[in-house]
Amino acid sequence: MGIDHEKFSLERKLLIGSYSTLEYSVEASALFNPSIVEDFDQSFLAEGEKRVIISFRATGEGHLSSIVFRKGILDASNNLQMQNVHKHIDLPNITNKKTYNKKRFMKKMEEMNIPKKYSSTIMNSLSDRFEYFALKEAVRDVLKLDIDEQRRKALKEMTWLVDSYYDIEFHSDSNISERAIFPISSAESKGIEDARFVRFTEDDGTEKIYATYTAYDGYTILPKLLSTNDFINFRVMPMHGHGAQNKNFALFPRKVKGKYAMLARIDGVNNYLFYSDRITLWNNPIKIQEPKFPWEFTQIGNCGSPIYTDHGWLLITHGVGAMRRYCIGVSLLDLEDPTKEIGRLKEPLLSPLEEEREGYVPNVVYSCGSIIHNNHLILPYAVSDYSSSYVTVNLDDLLTALKTKD
């Protein structure tokens, strides 16, 4: 450009450098909708203490949401001491899934309403197990041609789907507060929303952390599932089936009747239950709850995975009433048959306070996951989407209220 940069003042060099860095804060706008799980590492703790990991939905510029983590210790009195938060973000390695089952892939395209007349030419050229780059290259070649807008959109959605499977690997020496799961695939281009983490116990006693979340590209919602054993390596995949739509998916922490069980609000209004032999395939939803009280007349949904108790599945719910006011309620479901509701609180457990109602999204209290510690429900929740806190509730008192018949 014919410019002698050696003659620039320090102020001008800093200005040019600041434009080039494109620094971005993942939580500049909001830090909310927490979900809490027990850490696998419970070493070097005093009696009555528990190490926990809390996830948050972090929103930065442009309403773009990511998943971030914090670690802390609950003491014997249920006081939560959080670890110091590091200032920088660890950039992970991203690896796309290498091969795909053609039959399952085509089934998912059908669920996404991608017309066969636009996809069949490409899919017919692929083998029963095709490679990631084979589909990407085939779609890219067709997009170069003079094709109509409907076909162009369908082919882009095929690429959108294949990019939805990937692995994330953070550096093992990074602090957990430095690990942020950003929107990576096209399906998540407008955000990763409301991850509900749960510590899942398999039939053989082994455990794994799963989380369900909503991927959003500005037009379409895609429910997705991620898994991890260490909060360093994560596997991400979309969920399938005619029930894999809308928001609010929450996985039970163990199998029910020998099958995986999932809650969701697939119609935007009511609570549904699914059973499945595969953790990513969800069909045949069963409606188990619908709005009953004025504070939940607009919709009812879960606030995270059900919690096992000897008395039943403790289900934290959210209800939306007049003026789009979000409250948190509690239900108790039968252990053997969660379609049976044992009890439901008539009044909210938590409601927005007048002095807390202003925020990024006003008049809301919301949670994405709770645990039981020292015979208390530990319920983290967001306050009008601008900050997060937690409340403790005596479990015996809560169960008594749920089982009391008026």
Side-chain angles (χ1 to χ4, degrees):
M1 296 175 64
I3 298 175
D4 185 0
H5 62 81
E6 296 295 338
K7 294 181 180 179
F8 286 176
S9 66
L10 176 61
E11 288 77 11
R12 179 163 292 189
K13 290 179 180 178
L14 289 172
L15 179 62
I16 294 171
S18 66
Y19 272 98
S20 301
T21 58
L22 298 176
E23 186 172 294
Y24 177 83
S25 172
V26 297
E27 54 192 62
S29 298
L31 187 67
F32 58 118
N33 294 1
S35 177
I36 186 171
V37 292
E38 299 176 13
D39 192 352
F40 285 124
D41 178 16
Q42 295 295 325
S43 59
F44 305 110
L45 296 177
E47 185 176 353
E49 292 184 337
K50 181 173 290 182
R51 187 173 288 111
V52 295
I53 294 174
I54 306 175
S55 68
F56 295 89
R57 177 179 171 185
T59 301
E61 300 169 39
H63 194 70
L64 190 65
S65 297
S66 307
I67 303 172
V68 298
F69 303 100
R70 302 289 187 265
K71 185 174 284 193
I73 294 177
L74 284 162
D75 66 18
S77 300
N78 298 323
N79 298 305
L80 178 60
Q81 180 66 44
M82 303 295 289
Q83 284 187 357
N84 291 333
V85 178
H86 289 213
K87 295 183 178 180
H88 300 288
I89 295 298
D90 178 33
L91 293 179
N93 295 317
I94 309 297
T95 306
N96 285 94
K97 184 178 177 181
K98 297 296 188 295
T99 62
Y100 298 82
N101 182 299
K102 180 176 174 179
K103 185 176 180 181
R104 290 180 186 172
F105 193 85
M106 292 179 70
K107 185 68 174 177
K108 186 60 182 178
M109 288 195 297
E110 180 184 332
E111 293 163 8
M112 292 171 60
N113 297 315
I114 300 175
K116 287 185 179 179
K117 62 180 179 179
Y118 298 134
S119 62
S120 58
T121 302
I122 289 176
M123 296 309 297
N124 289 341
S125 67
L126 300 174
S127 58
D128 290 341
R129 288 202 67 86
F130 63 89
E131 294 187 353
Y132 171 80
F133 288 106
L135 176 64
K136 294 278 283 190
E137 289 175 6
V139 170
R140 192 180 300 117
D141 289 343
V142 176
L143 287 174
K144 293 177 183 177
L145 304 176
D146 184 18
I147 57 177
D148 62 68
E149 189 57 35
Q150 279 190 318
R151 189 176 185 190
R152 185 175 296 275
K153 180 182 177 183
L155 295 179
K156 285 183 177 179
E157 286 181 341
M158 289 174 64
T159 304
W160 179 88
L161 179 58
V162 78
D163 282 335
S164 294
Y165 301 80
Y166 57 87
D167 291 338
I168 303 172
E169 181 183 4
F170 291 97
H171 296 90
S172 58
D173 59 351
S174 65
N175 184 274
I176 194 168
S177 66
E178 297 176 301
R179 302 171 199 157
I181 299 179
F182 293 106
I184 292 170
S185 70
S186 299
E188 303 161 348
S189 59
K190 295 300 182 182
I192 294 174
E193 302 180 356
D194 301 341
R196 288 159 159 78
F197 281 80
V198 63
R199 186 164 164 171
F200 186 88
T201 304
E202 299 283 1
D203 292 339
D204 61 4
T206 60
E207 294 181 308
K208 177 176 284 193
I209 299 292
Y210 286 104
T212 51
Y213 70 87
T214 301
Y216 182 56
D217 70 347
Y219 304 98
T220 306
I221 290 170
L222 180 66
K224 299 188 74 173
L225 181 76
L226 67 79
S227 63
T228 183
N229 290 318
D230 52 14
F231 284 90
I232 296 173
N233 298 278
F234 295 84
R235 171 151 291 179
V236 180
M237 50 201 146
M239 290 190 283
H240 305 271
H242 294 295
Q245 55 185 301
N246 218 302
K247 298 183 177 184
N248 226 223
F249 280 75
L251 182 69
F252 279 67
R254 62 180 68 179
K255 289 183 178 179
V256 180
K257 300 180 179 179
K259 296 180 180 292
Y260 294 105
M262 182 81 78
L263 293 174
R265 197 191 65 232
I266 63 170
D267 60 3
V269 178
N270 306 293
N271 249 338
Y272 288 81
L273 172 69
F274 300 84
Y275 293 112
S276 179
D277 293 318
R278 281 177 44 206
I279 201 167
T280 56
L281 179 65
W282 302 101
N283 290 306
N284 305 316
I286 307 165
K287 186 194 292 187
I288 62 169
Q289 286 184 315
E290 56 188 23
K292 185 176 181 180
F293 304 115
W295 56 273
E296 59 185 14
F297 270 176
T298 300
Q299 70 183 44
I300 183 173
N302 69 74
C303 270
S305 295
I307 304 170
Y308 177 89
T309 76
D310 291 338
H311 301 269
W313 293 108
L314 192 66
L315 176 61
I316 312 302
T317 62
H318 71 266
V320 183
M323 301 296 291
R324 200 180 172 276
R325 180 173 180 257
Y326 276 71
C327 297
I328 294 177
V330 187
S331 300
L332 190 65
L333 307 179
D334 186 82
L335 282 178
E336 300 300 323
D337 184 2
T339 64
K340 298 178 181 178
E341 183 184 84
I342 298 172
R344 189 194 306 192
L345 295 185
K346 288 186 175 181
E347 299 294 334
L349 183 69
L350 285 179
S351 302
L353 298 175
E354 182 63 30
E355 61 269 25
E356 295 178 335
R357 72 176 302 276
E358 299 299 332
Y360 189 67
V361 179
N363 218 19
V364 173
V365 289
Y366 198 86
S367 177
C368 287
S370 314
I371 61 170
I372 292 174
H373 176 59
N374 292 330
N375 202 44
H376 281 75
L377 173 70
I378 310 298
L379 172 61
Y381 66 97
V383 179
S384 295
D385 288 7
Y386 76 87
S387 66
S388 295
S389 185
Y390 80 103
V391 65
T392 64
V393 183
N394 182 281
L395 185 59
D396 292 335
D397 292 343
L398 182 57
L399 290 170
T400 297
L402 285 165
K403 292 189 292 183
T404 298
K405 304 293 184 182
D406 292 337

